[in-house]
Amino acid sequence: MLSLLEATEPYADRFMGIRISTRPDYIDHKILVLLKKYKVTTIELGAQSMNDEVLRANNRGHSSDDVKNAAKLIKQHGFNLGLQMMTGLYKATPESDLLTANEFVKLNPDCLRIYPTVVMKNTELADLYLNGVYKTYNLEESVRLCAEIMMLFEEHSINIIRVGLHYNDELVENQLAGDYHPAFKELCETEIFYKYIKSKLTVNKNIIIYVNPKSVSKLIGQNKTNIKRLSELGYNVTLKTDDTLGKYEVKVKGKGD
């Protein structure tokens, strides 16, 4: 750790700060004083879950209390706090994952990452999966859940900086289960728009949907997913842009109303 931090010193005046990721149980006062000295500005915790049974089952080696204590210390020392969560771990349920999301909100992080679990070959999770002990969420279930979690964080103005794993060939070649998708975040955003639109549907089946110009493709979805779903409900959709609307904000009006 020291050799890496010392390597940044000659360039310290050229950047705004340093972001690091670490385990919740590795944080204490002494470490934080040291990190502050080397101009670390953001500390992300690999918390993954706030359910102690899930943490134990996945051999995480830390508890939910460790996460709470580390988050408090990080904030007290003036660092930006980042949290990382994994949905669909062994022993997890959609309910326990939502509990984790709500517990994260209470910790008031500055940023968040959401990673659906992907089971890799030749791992303990792979053995559990192949033996039928561990059942992963399918892609549809994972999208619905993570869309709900994203909506929760958006409502509390928490910055989501990553949803889903970065693509790499090794990940795709060695994936056993978990339905990795290279555009997972976009799938979740399409689901978010569908939920918001559905809550605003009119009796009039001919509707105009207004959306921010930057969000048009996400609202429509891959292969026009949302347009097709609305069509199946009997709605004829006309799409218009409105740059006064927020990222996920939509207005729905019946034609002629």
Side-chain angles (χ1 to χ4, degrees):
M1 180 184 70
L2 284 175
S3 64
L4 289 169
L5 289 170
E6 286 168 359
T8 70
E9 285 191 292
Y11 314 98
D13 294 333
R14 303 186 192 179
F15 49 76
M16 297 292 291
I18 300 173
R19 176 190 299 270
I20 66 165
S21 298
T22 190
R23 296 170 56 94
D25 52 326
Y26 278 19
I27 292 295
D28 58 28
H29 173 76
K30 182 179 177 181
I31 286 288
L32 292 174
V33 169
L34 183 65
L35 294 177
K36 182 71 74 171
K37 173 186 172 184
Y38 286 98
K39 296 194 174 181
V40 171
T41 50
T42 300
I43 301 174
E44 294 189 33
L45 299 177
Q48 317 313 358
S49 176
M50 294 297 281
N51 181 295
D52 285 322
E53 181 185 3
V54 172
L55 292 171
R56 284 192 296 269
N58 291 273
N59 299 319
R60 289 298 305 166
H62 70 263
S63 68
S64 59
D65 281 343
D66 289 328
V67 177
K68 294 174 185 176
N69 293 334
K72 183 179 179 180
L73 278 174
I74 288 167
K75 287 277 194 178
Q76 286 176 345
H77 280 260
F79 294 93
N80 292 323
L81 171 66
L83 295 174
Q84 301 171 6
M85 73 176 291
M86 293 184 72
T87 58
L89 285 165
Y90 176 47
K91 295 280 189 180
T93 64
E95 291 74 24
S96 70
D97 286 334
L98 285 169
L99 178 145
T100 290
N102 278 285
E103 288 298 309
F104 277 12
V105 168
K106 295 176 186 177
L107 297 176
N108 192 29
D110 299 285
C111 61
L112 277 156
R113 299 179 194 261
I114 307 168
Y115 294 119
T117 301
V118 176
V119 181
M120 306 298 285
K121 297 174 184 176
N122 303 313
T123 62
E124 288 186 41
L125 278 185
D127 293 338
L128 292 168
Y129 175 79
L130 292 171
N131 290 328
V133 178
Y134 169 42
K135 184 178 183 296
T136 62
Y137 304 154
N138 62 37
L139 182 60
E140 185 179 340
E141 291 170 332
S142 192
V143 166
R144 283 201 305 267
L145 173 63
C146 289
E148 187 172 352
I149 290 171
M150 288 173 67
M151 289 166 69
L152 174 67
F153 292 149
E154 287 287 340
E155 288 166 9
H156 288 84
S157 301
I158 298 171
N159 185 25
I160 304 169
I161 59 176
R162 182 75 195 175
V163 181
L165 292 166
H166 288 281
Y167 174 86
N168 67 67
D169 292 336
E170 184 180 4
L171 172 63
V172 174
E173 291 167 7
N174 291 292
Q175 175 190 234
L176 179 65
D179 287 320
Y180 166 75
H181 194 287
F184 184 79
K185 182 179 180 181
E186 187 174 331
L187 296 180
C188 294
E189 290 178 317
T190 297
E191 181 69 19
I192 289 170
F193 275 113
Y194 182 67
K195 288 177 181 289
Y196 283 142
I197 292 167
K198 198 173 177 183
S199 69
K200 298 174 181 288
L201 289 175
T202 66
V203 176
N204 188 335
K205 295 291 185 178
N206 295 306
I207 58 173
I208 303 170
I209 300 175
Y210 296 86
V211 64
N212 189 290
K214 295 179 181 179
S215 300
V216 171
S217 63
K218 295 169 185 175
L219 184 151
I220 293 172
Q222 293 185 6
N223 302 313
K224 298 184 177 179
T225 301
N226 278 347
I227 304 302
K228 291 175 182 176
R229 289 203 281 189
L230 291 168
S231 178
E232 289 168 1
L233 295 175
Y235 286 89
N236 178 39
V237 176
T238 299
L239 203 58
K240 293 188 178 183
T241 59
D242 181 344
D243 57 13
T244 67
L245 295 174
K247 181 167 62 174
Y248 296 126
E249 192 178 359
V250 293
K251 289 192 298 187
V252 180
K253 292 183 179 180
K255 283 185 179 179
D257 292 350

